[in-house]
Amino acid sequence: MFSAIARIFRTPDLRRKIGFTIGIIVIYRLGAHIPAPFVHFPNVQSCIDQTSGAEGLLSLVNLFSGGALLQLSIFALGVMPYITATIIVQLLRVVIPHFETLYKEGQSGQAKLTQYTRYITIALALLQSTTLVTVARTGQLFGVTGIAECNQLLVNDVWWAQLLVIICMTAGTGLIMWFAELVTERGIGNGMSLLIFTSIAATFPGAMGAIWQAQGFEIFLLVLAVGIVLIALVVFVEQSQRRIPVQYAKRMVGRRTYGGTNTYIPIKVNMAGVVPVIFASSLLYIPALVAQFNATPDAEGNVPEWVTWINTYFTNGDHWLYMLVYFLLIIGFTYFYVAITFNPVDVADNMKKYGGFIPGIRAGRPTAEYLDFVLTRITFPGSIYLGLIALIPLIALATVQANQNFPFGGASLLIMVGVGLETVKQIDAQLQQRHYEGLLR
């Protein structure tokens, strides 16, 4: 293992790629701590110290920004607009036939889809930065109103100052996209995935330190031990797959013989990744968002009953009803997203076109039905697994009073493990191109 790591730094090309990637990550983290213009940074820090940080509506966005959202930095929006834009483009493939046609065109079509994703990212960044500045201006960014510093987060409240903050945050999102593409082209691994990994890892020490201070060293060690076990289990499940054998018949093209090979179709237990967790979290934020804008007391000082009910059961995440709805939504979105990303009919048609077949299954429609049967069966344990992993931060919130950015669970654990495994595989592939042995044994 150590000799393989030493070979990484002895290989000039690989050493240069890793150094470039680390340099981009350092610049990205520096930008997350540079406040946007006209932001009263001392008041922001004071408000962060006096509150528990991101709770409720902004917890997921603050997690993906590495804590930059609540600091109102130039990279406050982080990678969330790009993630949302990517999901929107994938969903539009089902609704708009032109997007599906572009997806099947190969590299040229993928380039156009990437360009559409960039446009949507900038539009979403403009919308989200406007919302963020509006919420910060009204003093609702941290969800509290009794702290004077939280009501004075902006130095200048005129329209042109707010416009400059919005433009700066939107430009920061565009710069993050450029950083990610540079890492993908000239670095190692997928650029956007590594920036997401960096943002989540940046919140890890603070979350663990908060548990140590609030619950003591014994609970800290217990949480750390449980976290190590969970990481091992997540790695095991993420690497698990059902391999469906495929045989290709021999065919003559001119004087050459093609086909006659045996391969397989890998169907992972968790084909949906972390997207269902993001979908379910975003959908559950909608009731709390609606309640927040209707929480103004009437003339008698009473808040509407439905607002009180939502604030009791659908805001903090430590109630069993919230957990149950969250769990069921993740299961539903897992089936929905897998149905979008894996089409058994297209796979069966491509196999039939090139002379491939599953042993014991006729080509064409029976193959599509068999793939759909296997996919449905294997998606069920995958959805249960996703739901249980996503509930870990909520259970920690209810037991050890950790915040919703609890590192060992939910989107954070899935992303960190997934990106880590993919990056290690790419480094291993680079090593095997130059040596007989790779990083993995």
Side-chain angles (χ1 to χ4, degrees), residues 317-378:
D318 54 354
H319 195 273
W320 67 267
L321 181 60
Y322 182 97
M323 296 182 185
L324 178 62
V325 175
Y326 190 37
F327 183 78
L328 295 178
L329 283 175
I330 289 175
I331 293 177
F333 279 127
T334 301
Y335 277 94
F336 172 73
Y337 191 73
V338 169
I340 291 176
T341 55
F342 187 91
N343 191 339
V345 177
D346 290 344
V347 175
D349 291 342
N350 290 332
M351 290 171 53
K352 185 177 180 180
K353 184 187 301 182
Y354 294 102
F357 62 93
I358 300 174
I361 307 295
R362 292 180 58 187
R365 183 177 176 181
T367 298
E369 293 176 350
Y370 176 76
L371 290 175
D372 183 68
F373 171 78
V374 174
L375 187 65
T376 304
R377 288 293 185 91
I378 205 170

Side-chain angles (χ1 to χ4, degrees), residues 8-9 13-23 187-188 427:
I8 293 176
F9 294 98
D13 185 39
L14 192 57
R15 184 175 65 243
R16 184 168 55 252
K17 288 183 177 181
I18 293 178
F20 180 81
T21 303
I22 295 175
I188 194 77
I427 295 176

Side-chain angles (χ1 to χ4, degrees), residues 72-119:
L72 296 176
S73 68
I74 57 175
F75 291 166
L77 301 180
V79 297
M80 200 62 183
Y82 184 84
I83 296 174
T84 309
T86 304
I87 295 174
I88 289 174
V89 171
Q90 289 183 342
L91 295 179
L92 287 178
R93 284 171 43 199
V94 183
V95 181
I96 302 177
H98 177 64
F99 279 71
E100 183 66 22
T101 303
L102 290 176
Y103 179 75
K104 294 180 179 179
E105 283 183 359
Q107 187 174 1
S108 61
Q110 292 289 346
K112 291 183 180 179
L113 288 179
T114 302
Q115 196 67 20
Y116 290 149
T117 304
R118 293 170 182 164
Y119 294 148

Side-chain angles (χ1 to χ4, degrees), residues 30-50:
L30 286 176
H33 291 85
I34 299 176
F38 300 106
V39 171
H40 199 295
F41 194 66
N43 281 2
V44 172
Q45 293 299 317
S46 177
C47 195
I48 292 176
D49 294 338
Q50 296 183 56

Side-chain angles (χ1 to χ4, degrees), residues 158-342:
V158 297
W159 66 270
W160 58 267
Q162 299 176 34
L163 180 63
L164 184 59
V165 176
I166 292 171
I167 293 175
C168 184
M169 291 182 176
T170 304
T173 300
L175 191 60
I176 290 174
M177 272 199 305
W178 183 57
F179 284 164
E181 293 177 1
L182 284 179
V183 171
T184 303
E185 294 175 3
R186 302 175 55 185
I188 194 77
N190 182 277
M192 190 58 68
S193 298
L194 283 174
L195 293 185
I196 298 173
F197 178 91
T198 304
S199 299
I200 296 175
T203 63
F204 194 95
M208 295 301 296
I211 294 175
W212 190 340
Q213 293 181 359
Q215 303 295 327
F217 185 69
E218 292 79 7
I219 299 296
F220 171 80
L221 288 180
L222 177 62
V223 170
L224 191 61
V226 171
I228 294 174
V229 174
L230 285 174
I231 290 175
L233 292 176
V234 170
V235 170
F236 176 76
V237 176
E238 291 294 323
Q239 297 290 88
S240 302
Q241 57 183 223
R242 166 75 182 275
R243 296 182 176 182
I244 300 178
V246 177
Q247 296 181 0
Y248 284 90
K250 293 183 179 180
R251 53 193 178 96
M252 296 292 296
V253 180
R255 295 184 177 181
R256 294 179 178 272
T257 302
Y258 294 92
T261 59
N262 297 329
T263 182
Y264 60 88
I265 301 175
I267 299 182
K268 295 179 63 178
V269 174
N270 179 24
M271 290 193 64
V274 75
V275 175
V277 180
I278 299 175
F279 276 177
S281 302
S282 303
L283 191 62
L284 279 179
Y285 287 158
I286 295 177
L289 180 63
V290 174
Q292 182 179 0
F293 286 104
N294 293 271
T296 305
D298 54 17
E300 299 178 357
N302 297 323
V303 178
E305 293 185 2
W306 65 272
V307 173
T308 305
W309 189 84
I310 290 178
N311 289 334
T312 303
Y313 299 109
F314 283 92
T315 300
N316 294 327
D318 54 354
H319 195 273
W320 67 267
L321 181 60
Y322 182 97
M323 296 182 185
L324 178 62
V325 175
Y326 190 37
F327 183 78
L328 295 178
L329 283 175
I330 289 175
I331 293 177
F333 279 127
T334 301
Y335 277 94
F336 172 73
Y337 191 73
V338 169
I340 291 176
T341 55
F342 187 91

